[in-house]
Amino acid sequence: MADARAVLTHLGRFRDGMMPLLNRRLPDVRFIESGTSDVLVALPTDQAQLSKSLTPAVRWVHVLGAGIDGFPLDAVGDRIITCSRGASAPAIAEFALALMLAFEKQLPEQWVTEPPDTWNYARLGSLRGKTIGVLGLGAIGTEVARLALAFGSHVVALRRSSKPSPLEGVELVARLPDLLERADHIVITLPATKGTDALLGKAAFAAMKPGVNLVNVSRGAIIDQDALLVALDDGTVARANLDVVDPEPLPAGHPLYKHPRVRLSPHISWSAPDTMNRTIEMFADNLHRYEKGEPLHGVVDLAAGY
């Protein structure tokens, strides 16, 4: 590197949380916010400032996260860009399974604070035998599928590439409607790209099985939120579990805050005791690879946008 142990950083509002982890994992690296380095480690929080950080000296950019939407990809040029793809997959998959289980087991609706009308009786659902539709079969989607299979669910998945399923027991479908019309639960784990913007719109909701449970742990822009509200009101979507929305945060008074069939969380599905450390570890491993001239993990396909 131009300075063998200097790495340029652009972490925005996450600086105070990420810098101690970076310093602890890589004590022999000098992290700088300005100056010269051919390595930039960043979070895509401010496109204008990120573009300024992409100085001519920078040859490799690592994004501390799985999604690179929000990064000024048009300014990358011939640089290599990687991300911590898969670091948050275990946490996000557990969150998605928790939301599906809560739907089937009617939680928290079944909790009682006084004697109920009936005791020892309920009509609860089960994931066993249900069809889970996974949109996107990357690291997160694969982990969702693995957990769903362990619960006895049938898993159907749609992926952009023609690669075979990484898991035995997952049925791949070629068309979005083929998944939507069969799924009891739909889990969105797709990246945000031009091709996935508003992918679930009016036509997609019309193709869904009535009473479906929708889980979005990916990006809010993948769902047309106006069309979703219609589908919630007409019963097509029995529940929408949204960890991501568009924009983030939603403005005060937005109907998704109050809709009785919406469970809204503030983009926290990634949170787990080891997620941050796993994220930093992927960068540290890539930094050592970069210095040795070895192939990097998590290389982003600029044409595909992820």
Side-chain angles (χ1 to χ4, degrees):
M1 295 190 293
D3 182 337
R5 281 299 179 182
V7 171
L8 193 61
T9 64
H10 180 95
L11 304 177
R13 67 182 184 275
F14 297 100
R15 181 186 183 282
D16 291 344
M18 300 300 284
M19 282 306 304
L21 297 175
L22 286 166
N23 287 325
R24 188 179 307 122
R25 176 60 182 81
L26 295 163
D28 53 348
V29 173
R30 184 163 55 94
F31 293 99
I32 57 177
E33 295 185 353
S34 61
T36 301
S37 174
D38 57 352
V39 176
L40 169 65
V41 60
L43 283 166
T45 57
D46 185 324
Q47 288 207 21
Q49 289 300 318
L50 270 172
S51 294
K52 293 180 181 178
S53 297
L54 287 170
T55 66
V58 173
R59 304 310 309 156
W60 167 44
V61 180
H62 184 87
V63 176
L64 290 171
I68 51 91
D69 51 302
F71 197 92
L73 296 181
D74 56 349
V76 172
D78 62 353
R79 299 175 178 89
I80 299 172
I81 180 169
T82 58
C83 64
S84 293
R85 183 180 298 143
S88 58
I92 294 176
E94 286 182 357
F95 197 87
L97 263 291
L99 294 172
M100 289 188 282
L101 284 167
F103 177 80
E104 294 289 353
K105 301 306 178 183
Q106 301 170 24
L107 301 176
E109 293 86 354
Q110 290 292 343
W111 302 141
V112 296
T113 56
E114 60 184 29
D117 294 335
T118 59
W119 198 272
N120 197 27
Y121 177 79
R123 296 178 65 87
L124 305 182
S126 174
L127 287 182
R128 182 172 298 278
K130 294 295 174 62
T131 297
I132 313 298
V134 181
L135 297 183
L137 206 56
I140 297 170
T142 299
E143 186 64 8
V144 169
R146 186 184 70 81
L147 295 179
L149 289 170
F151 276 88
S153 302
H154 178 60
V155 179
V156 295
L158 180 72
R159 71 184 315 179
R160 176 179 176 270
S161 73
S162 58
K163 296 178 182 178
S165 170
L167 288 176
E168 183 179 353
V170 174
E171 178 188 351
L172 295 180
V173 294
R175 299 169 57 251
L176 179 61
D178 296 336
L179 182 149
L180 299 179
E181 66 188 15
R182 297 169 56 190
D184 300 297
H185 298 262
I186 297 171
V187 184
I188 304 171
T189 63
L190 291 164
T193 67
K194 292 180 180 179
T196 62
D197 186 52
L199 179 68
L200 295 190
K202 183 178 179 180
F205 286 113
M208 291 180 188
K209 179 188 294 189
V212 70
N213 180 46
L214 181 64
V215 176
N216 191 2
V217 288
S218 180
R219 290 294 185 266
I222 295 171
I223 296 177
D224 179 335
Q225 291 173 172
D226 291 335
L228 171 60
L229 286 166
V230 173
L232 286 162
D233 289 338
D234 68 19
T236 298
V237 177
R239 181 176 296 177
N241 307 272
L242 307 175
D243 187 52
V244 288
V245 287
D246 186 33
E248 289 188 4
L250 283 178
H254 194 284
L256 287 175
Y257 280 122
K258 298 294 185 180
H259 199 288
R261 294 186 177 185
V262 172
R263 302 294 182 266
L264 190 62
S265 53
H267 204 150
I268 56 169
S269 60
W270 57 268
S271 180
D274 63 342
T275 298
M276 287 295 191
N277 287 329
R278 286 167 56 89
T279 299
I280 297 299
E281 188 60 37
M282 288 188 177
F283 167 66
D285 179 63
N286 262 353
L287 181 60
H288 293 312
R289 287 174 171 273
Y290 180 78
E291 292 174 333
K292 295 177 181 178
E294 297 175 354
L296 304 181
H297 293 311
V299 176
V300 173
D301 182 338
L302 291 177
Y306 64 93

